[in-house]
């Protein structure tokens, strides 16, 4: 049975017990609104660790003014049922007051890789993510932590934070989980109407078109960017491309010509909803590999 913990003190007692028994702990940080993508992270943690903890915390620090913090889907009972199905040991669901009892003076800022793409469209977003994830790591002290590749830039930012701060945790990046129509799963997909969803599929198709072009030998960054943009373009005025790029997997610097591995990253705005997708690609003959 999954135990729900709301207090940091209680998590610490649990972690002490695990340490005494030399049990490993897998950790899946989430903001709730759990879907099959989150469940795939829980399953991987379950396979690789003695115990699994999931946090459910809608982190105010990573929302910009005017974004959907208040409206972000909150469905705790339903999320808890999914965690129980996945045999999660602990759900840590703190209040904002528990996480930030004194407000927040300390910010974890990961320079460089936070600046472009999501960082440019949502300034300060990654400071909020890095700050809360480092707080959660300090509380939960996991052996391994699981993140989805869908938020590719987030994985790069967090990897860099863990390396720079010598955080004793292994980050495990898990593949994107897609609906049968190809759309990458996201808690915000619930905002899409049926018509919006049809538009949103342009993004998944663009990523597939880019992957196929690389498999067929295309290595030019500019030609790949054009392929992504063509496939994402819509006659609908409220469907717009935030970015479509080909970047280095670790630095996120745009690539002129793919020599080994690269990442296709793209964001399509459909009405009020921003949809993210990406794929790691390898030039023919270069070693492939996940995130
Ligand atoms: O990816 C998310 O859901 C959030 O950014 C995270 C990592 C749980 C931090 O709030």
């Amino acid at each position: 049975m999954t135990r729900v913990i709301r207090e940091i003190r209680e998590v610490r007692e649990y972690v002490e017990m695990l340490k005494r028994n030399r049990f490993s702990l897998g950790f899946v940080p989430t903001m709730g609104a759990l879907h099959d993508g989150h469940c795939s992270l829980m399953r991987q943690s379950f396979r690789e660790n003695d115990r699994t903890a999931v946090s459910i915390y809608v982190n105010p620090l990573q929302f910009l003014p005017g974004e959907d913090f208040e409206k972000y889907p909150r469905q705790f009972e339903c999320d808890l049922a999914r965690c129980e199905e996945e045999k999660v040991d602990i759900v840590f669901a703190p209040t904002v007051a528990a996480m930030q009892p004194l407000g927040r003076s300390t910010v974890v800022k990961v320079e460089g890789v936070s600046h472009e793409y999501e960082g440019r469209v949502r300034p300060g977003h990654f400071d909020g993510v890095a700050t809360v994830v480092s707080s959660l790591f300090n509380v939960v002290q996991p052996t391994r932590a699981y993140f989805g590749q869908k938020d590719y830039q987030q994985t790069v930012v967090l990897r860099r934070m863990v390396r720079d701060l010598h955080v004793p945790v292994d980050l495990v990046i898990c593949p994107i989980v897609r609906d049968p129509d190809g759309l990458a799963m996201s808690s915000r997909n619930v905002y899409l109407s049926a018509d919006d969803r049809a538009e949103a599929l342009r993004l998944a198709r663009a990523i597939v078109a880019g992957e196929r072009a690389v498999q067929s030998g295309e290595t030019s960054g500019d030609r790949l960017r054009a392929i992504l943009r063509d496939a994402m373009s819509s006659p609908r005025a409220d469907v717009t491309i935030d970015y479509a790029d080909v970047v280095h997997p670790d630095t996120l610097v745009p690539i002129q010509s793919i020599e080994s591995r690269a990442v296709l990253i793209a964001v399509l705005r459909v009405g009020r909803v921003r949809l993210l997708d990406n794929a790691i690609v390898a030039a023919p003959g270069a070693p492939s590999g996940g995130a």
Side-chain angles (χ1 to χ4, degrees):
M1 173 131 172
T2 304
R3 177 173 155 200
V4 178
I5 298 187
R6 302 218 176 249
E7 300 298 331
I8 289 173
R9 175 190 47 77
E10 252 189 279
V11 184
R12 291 202 188 285
E13 284 165 12
Y14 181 78
V15 169
E16 282 311 312
M17 180 281 289
L18 295 185
K19 286 195 173 148
R20 279 197 302 277
N21 289 286
R22 297 181 182 282
F23 285 164
S24 60
L25 178 62
F27 178 41
V28 182
T30 81
M31 298 205 300
L34 302 180
H35 50 66
D36 288 352
H38 295 112
C39 292
S40 77
L41 307 181
M42 296 176 205
R43 274 175 221 149
Q44 187 154 346
S45 170
F46 183 81
R47 288 195 295 274
E48 296 178 351
N49 299 280
D50 298 314
R51 295 288 184 273
T52 290
V54 169
S55 63
I56 298 181
Y57 178 65
V58 185
N59 168 35
L61 300 175
Q62 69 190 77
F63 289 79
L64 269 60
E67 286 189 344
D68 57 346
F69 173 67
E70 268 84 26
K71 289 207 218 92
Y72 194 83
R74 289 168 173 85
Q75 42 173 59
F76 185 74
E77 291 310 320
C78 184
D79 288 346
L80 182 57
R82 295 209 81 160
C83 291
E84 278 174 343
E85 274 164 34
E86 299 301 336
K87 305 186 187 65
V88 166
D89 297 282
I90 292 293
V91 166
F92 175 44
T95 58
V96 173
M99 285 299 281
Q100 316 179 175
L102 306 176
R104 180 64 74 172
S105 299
T106 306
V107 175
V108 179
K109 200 182 241 311
V110 183
E111 300 286 4
V113 288
S114 291
H115 290 165
E116 296 303 322
Y117 307 106
E118 289 308 286
R120 187 167 288 278
V121 180
R122 306 178 69 192
H125 167 71
F126 286 122
D127 299 351
V129 171
T131 303
V132 81
V133 171
S134 53
S135 289
L136 289 167
F137 283 173
N138 282 331
V139 174
V140 177
Q141 297 174 48
T143 318
R144 299 181 187 84
Y146 295 80
F147 295 89
Q149 186 195 311
K150 197 200 60 109
D151 296 303
Y152 189 82
Q153 190 175 6
Q154 170 170 280
T155 68
V156 173
V157 169
L158 293 176
R159 268 205 189 120
R160 186 64 201 245
M161 177 192 88
V162 161
R163 290 192 70 176
D164 282 357
L165 300 180
H166 305 283
V167 184
V169 63
D170 283 338
L171 295 194
V172 183
I173 312 304
C174 303
I176 297 177
V177 178
R178 296 179 184 278
D179 279 324
D181 60 8
L183 190 66
M185 286 192 184
S186 160
S187 303
R188 289 189 170 103
N189 290 355
V190 295
Y191 298 144
L192 295 169
S193 67
D195 284 354
D196 288 348
R197 196 175 167 102
E199 288 293 325
L201 290 178
R202 292 178 190 279
L203 177 61
R205 285 195 217 109
I207 293 290
V208 171
E211 283 181 300
R212 290 208 177 123
V214 176
Q215 281 157 11
S216 314
E218 183 59 83
T219 55
S220 152
D222 284 345
R223 278 197 292 272
L224 287 166
R225 284 183 266 274
I227 289 170
L228 293 175
R229 285 189 166 269
D230 276 358
M232 288 163 74
S233 299
S234 163
R236 241 176 78 173
D238 67 341
V239 177
T240 53
I241 300 169
D242 267 7
Y243 54 81
D245 214 339
V246 185
V247 298
H248 186 282
D250 303 323
T251 62
L252 302 179
V253 170
I255 281 183
Q256 290 318 312
S257 173
I258 304 179
E259 270 151 32
S260 56
R261 293 197 318 142
V263 186
L264 312 177
I265 50 168
V267 169
L268 188 67
R269 230 180 248 262
V270 179
R272 289 181 308 109
V273 188
R274 294 183 70 247
L275 299 150
L276 285 70
D277 207 338
N278 66 77
I280 299 168
V281 291
S288 55

